[in-house]
Amino acid sequence: MIKKEMIAMLLAGGQGSRLGVLTSNVAKPAVAFGGKYRIIDFSLSNCINSGVDTVGVLTQYQPLRLNTHIGIGIPWDLDRNIGGVSILPPHEKTDRSEWYTGTANAVYQNMEYMEYYNPEYVLILGGDHIYKMDYETMLDYHKLHNADITLAAVPVPIEEASRFGIVITDEEKRITEFEEKPLRPRSNLASMGIYIFSWNILREALIILSGQKGCDFGKHVIPYCHKRGDRIFAYEYNGYWKDVGTLRAYWESNMELIDLIPVFNLYEEFWKIYTKSDTILPQYIGDTAVIDRTIIGEGAEIYGEVHNSVIGSGVYIGPGAVVRDSILMKDAVIGEGAVVGKAIVAEGVNIGAYAELGIGEEVPNEKDSNIYSFGLVTIAENSMIPPYVKIGKNTAVSGRTTVEDYWEGVLTSGGTLIKAGGKL
Amino acid sequence: MRAVGIILAGGNSNRMGNLSSKRAIAAMPVAGSYRCIDFALSNMSNSHIQKVAVFTQYNSRSLNKHLNSSKWWDFGRKQGGLFVFTPTITPDNSFWYRGTADTMYQNLDFLKNSHEPYAVITSGDGVYKLDYNKVLEYHINKRADITVVSKLLKEGEDASRFGIINTDKDGRIIEFEEKPLMTSADTISIGIYVIRRRLLIELVEKSAEEDRYDFVKDILIRYKNLKRIYAYGMNTYWSSISTVDSYYKTNMDFLKKEVRDYFFKEYPDIYSKIDDLPPAKYNQGASVKNSIISSGCIVNGVIENSIVFKKVYIGNNSTIKNSIILNDVYIGDNTYIENCIVESGDTIRADTTYVGEPGNVEIVVEKNERYVL
């Protein structure tokens, strides 16, 4: 008989539009992080480290990279005879066919997957947070409190609490009230979007709410269950937890990894983070290289200067190039003498010789000042930056640009350059 | 599918000094992230040989640990797979492997139960890339009984630790001498053989009857006039690890761009076990020149012209020059290491100095207690 105590449903279908051009071709959970990882690695590693060996990954937006990354789950030991990892895209059905319209709707559409494993509990996860968490401890807590739903919550500074969904609990930690982005927060416990449901509760709620348009856990399922009096508890989590939903947060949490003793420490033996490595070769540091305060992934070749940066696998930094305060993802090439300052350079980008990124004054981005801010230069994957051009701050570039695309060889601060049909 | 693979990884050499007290040569770490046997295994896998036996005898703990899963080389299959055979006691045999031919004789059932027509035999101590199918094609075209892969030594290279061969115009071997004192030729056998599986069984059985146990001495050399033994010339990078010196040089070769590019950037790839280590980390005070650094390292000091394996910690104000630091070494602050090979798992105390000679590197084995949080 097939029986799993707890299975996980990992929501990885969102675009993550606040990451701008970084996610124009790839889902947010598949965006590279920390030199060799992808964001989804943290949730997947938490699953297997917590003993959850059955994970359904719900995909929708640009899933190719995710599919190839996850494969049959070998890097996470999720290649199992029974269970393991399954990719669950939206599919056609006889009566009605639709995309995943919301988080709960996506899970509802995969009812059969969950039923097959005959679980007692279902863990609902997002694929876009950086953290190490033992879901088994959370499950123990769920059982101890005889809860119907347990929601993981993290204490945030009270002045920032108005950016989050806040929960208010009684002494027993049972949730009495929810407040979505309250102006005057009465608690600093923010919901992390991680839930454990007792299976019958989840099943029933999803069926009853199946007609709800865009059915969402935070907006519909939890309030519905709360209203009808289900026992909902907050599980307080006190470790490192980062939502990397914005370019600024993404950049900052990458940079935290290079601190002398990082708060989020990848070098601990306990609770390893696993990922699929395409390459395992060592890195080569050339005669002319200067490196400090930097982490560098496998197979990189460095001949230039690198300070305060996160360098992905297979990156090449040419002689005389200077990289500072930047994130370079897998296989990026920095030409000879190029200068890269405070930039996020996505996978496979080629930056021409003597190009300069991140120069001049900070000016708000003309197209979307909410996304491209904080003085960052953001270059989309597989873009090409021609030699000798200069690019200012709060800018975004996508596509195989040529020198003609730059007014007098310069993209001034606040500019956006998106070359349509960039893939040549 | 046309051949089974055999990797002879049992050996040890006293010329490896202290380095081989811990492990068989096939398990020696190479080029920062690999072990010696990865090259033979990857070549097998890339040549679509799906059934591979590794024969091991000398201190195989480290090797077995490396081979604990066959999936990294793509041998985790229903058809074929990776088999590790150590000597066992049976009702009619209680000997260790007494030689390479004896190794195969003791595992004759493996050969008999296979149905692939050919066998590719190789050792576990070579660093090279080779498509065994090319050797097999040559073998078939020449209607050879046995094909030996050979290599022309460069001028000045010492041939005395190899088997020396001489061929006629067609490539058929007419002379074969094992580790001669005086060498008359500069073509050596590099220990890779292709042979029909049934012929191998026949020859190995016959040798066993005559109490002969060595594949080279008792089969190749003894049968060279009786059987058609051909040499297949290989002209790409090849290096074998059998002495401290050759181990040091082979590793240092990977500081050359053409060697790195040949092995790691050109098709096909070399595979190895995945360790799930974080990216290498360079803190304030790090200064690295012309070196290979592997994942999981934390660098606070100076590294020049060196190979640093996985998960090495290098303390503040320490200097590593022209050295090889094996896996999981902790090097304290203010140390100085030059021309050394530091054994894996070592803990080097702060304020110490280890200096070897160029051409005569020092092997450092330091089993100090390590305090880690």
Side-chain angles (χ1 to χ4, degrees), chain A residues 122-133:
Chain A
V122 177
L123 171 68
I124 307 289
L125 295 173
D128 47 8
H129 294 131
I130 308 298
Y131 65 118
K132 295 181 188 176
M133 181 174 173

Side-chain angles (χ1 to χ4, degrees), chain A residues 206-280:
Chain A
L206 288 178
I207 291 169
I208 289 170
L209 293 174
S210 63
Q212 171 69 44
K213 227 176 143 201
C215 192
D216 182 273
F217 279 104
K219 284 195 203 108
H220 307 112
V221 177
I222 300 290
Y224 165 77
C225 293
H226 182 54
K227 213 166 119 197
R228 77 175 184 192
D230 288 349
R231 291 170 63 80
I232 308 180
F233 281 78
Y235 170 75
E236 196 173 316
Y237 169 76
N238 282 302
Y240 181 95
W241 177 77
K242 257 287 164 41
D243 177 350
V244 288
T246 64
L247 289 173
R248 178 182 177 165
Y250 174 79
W251 183 82
E252 283 177 341
S253 51
N254 267 284
M255 288 301 146
E256 280 167 5
L257 296 174
I258 59 185
D259 291 342
L260 191 58
I261 296 167
V263 190
F264 189 71
N265 196 343
L266 294 167
Y267 295 80
E268 291 163 342
E269 281 296 306
F270 181 67
W271 216 266
K272 272 194 183 180
I273 304 300
Y274 309 103
T275 187
K276 175 174 189 264
S277 317
D278 300 330
T279 53
I280 47 163

Side-chain angles (χ1 to χ4, degrees), chain B residues 334-338 340 348-355 362 364:
Chain B
N334 313 314
T335 53
Y336 185 88
I337 296 175
E338 188 174 353
C340 287
I348 305 290
R349 290 209 172 105
D351 309 307
T352 50
T353 301
Y354 298 88
V355 180
E362 186 184 334
V364 180

